[in-house]
């Protein structure tokens, strides 16, 4: 790759890294694995950078992250996993942030990986149904029905928690 392409890729990676990391974190619920997914995606983007640089490399990165996360779920046995200790605070009380993150992650945990991918791409990344269908390789109707099913699960989950607690 040329020096100019390397510089363009570096600029892209710096600009897109935090958005891709947030997407990956919402998809998988594990910060360390999310970082690995982003690194994997950035490597894949770099390898095809000359073709992608004038297109939408961030969409390609999202697609790589989403597919790699789904592949990981398919390969994993269903068992409990230990989690890392909470992150160190940067001079402020992170309790509210941690509570919000925990609430979002618990809500997303009731969804299948397919439903979770659709919800995160739609409501976090702001993609249209057609864009989600393209990124995940689904029909637009499948995205619509998966989204409706996921939102119904989230609503039911919220109502049950209110009734119980």
């Amino acid at each position: 790759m040329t020096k100019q392409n390397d510089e363009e890729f570096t600029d892209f990676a710096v600009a897109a890294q935090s958005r891709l990391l947030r997407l990956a974190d919402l998809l998988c619920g594990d910060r360390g694995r999310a970082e690995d997914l982003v690194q994997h995606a950035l490597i894949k983007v770099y390898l095809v950078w000359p073709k992608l640089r004038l297109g939408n490399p961030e969409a390609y990165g999202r697609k790589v992250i989403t597919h790699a996360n789904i592949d990981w779920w398919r390969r994993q046995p269903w068992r409990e996993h230990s989690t890392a200790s909470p992150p160190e605070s940067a001079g402020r009380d992170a309790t509210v942030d941690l509570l919000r993150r925990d609430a979002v992650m618990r809500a997303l945990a009731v969804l299948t990986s397919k439903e979770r991918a659709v919800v995160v791409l739609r409501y976090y990344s702001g993609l249209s149904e057609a864009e989600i269908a393209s990124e995940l390789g689904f029909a637009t109707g499948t995205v619509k029905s998966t989204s409706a099913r996921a939102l119904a699960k989230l609503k039911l989950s919220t109502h049950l928690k209110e009734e119980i607690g």
Side-chain angles (χ1 to χ4, degrees), residues 78-95:
W78 291 96
R79 64 178 188 273
E80 290 186 16
H81 296 281
S82 61
T83 60
S85 59
E88 303 257 341
S89 74
R92 67 181 177 96
D93 183 13
T95 305

Side-chain angles (χ1 to χ4, degrees), residues 5-33:
N5 279 348
D6 280 347
E7 290 173 359
E8 288 175 356
F9 173 78
T10 300
D11 292 342
F12 158 75
V14 167
Q17 184 177 9
S18 63
R19 289 186 300 275
L20 292 174
L21 181 59
R22 183 73 177 133
L23 168 76
D25 193 20
L26 287 169
L27 284 173
C28 69
D30 179 324
R31 185 64 171 210
R33 195 160 51 84

Side-chain angles (χ1 to χ4, degrees), residues 5-162:
N5 279 348
D6 280 347
E7 290 173 359
E8 288 175 356
F9 173 78
T10 300
D11 292 342
F12 158 75
V14 167
Q17 184 177 9
S18 63
R19 289 186 300 275
L20 292 174
L21 181 59
R22 183 73 177 133
L23 168 76
D25 193 20
L26 287 169
L27 284 173
C28 69
D30 179 324
R31 185 64 171 210
R33 195 160 51 84
E35 291 169 355
D36 290 344
L37 287 168
V38 171
Q39 182 177 6
H40 173 73
L42 290 175
I43 289 169
K44 293 287 191 178
V45 169
Y46 180 79
L47 292 174
V48 293
W49 182 255
K51 295 177 192 174
L52 280 180
R53 68 184 193 86
L54 299 177
N56 192 346
E58 193 165 342
Y60 184 80
R62 285 191 307 264
K63 190 174 192 175
V64 169
I65 288 169
T66 304
H67 285 275
N69 185 58
I70 290 169
D71 289 345
W72 182 87
W73 272 103
R74 287 179 181 153
R75 289 190 306 266
Q76 291 301 309
W78 291 96
R79 64 178 188 273
E80 290 186 16
H81 296 281
S82 61
T83 60
S85 59
E88 303 257 341
S89 74
R92 67 181 177 96
D93 183 13
T95 305
V96 173
D97 292 340
L98 289 173
L99 290 173
R100 284 185 183 144
R101 181 184 186 285
D102 183 59
V104 169
M105 299 313 286
R106 285 178 188 261
L108 291 173
V110 304
L111 304 177
T112 66
S113 59
K114 182 177 172 181
E115 292 167 341
R116 191 172 181 155
V118 169
V119 167
V120 170
L121 289 173
R122 179 73 179 114
Y123 297 101
Y124 172 71
S125 294
L127 300 184
S128 69
E129 291 166 341
E131 291 169 323
I132 295 168
S134 173
E135 285 200 20
L136 297 179
F138 300 155
T140 304
T142 302
V143 172
K144 289 179 183 181
S145 63
T146 301
S147 179
R149 199 170 40 254
L151 294 177
K153 278 186 183 179
L154 291 172
K155 186 176 181 179
L156 178 63
S157 172
T158 303
H159 287 305
L160 288 176
K161 286 179 185 171
E162 288 173 1

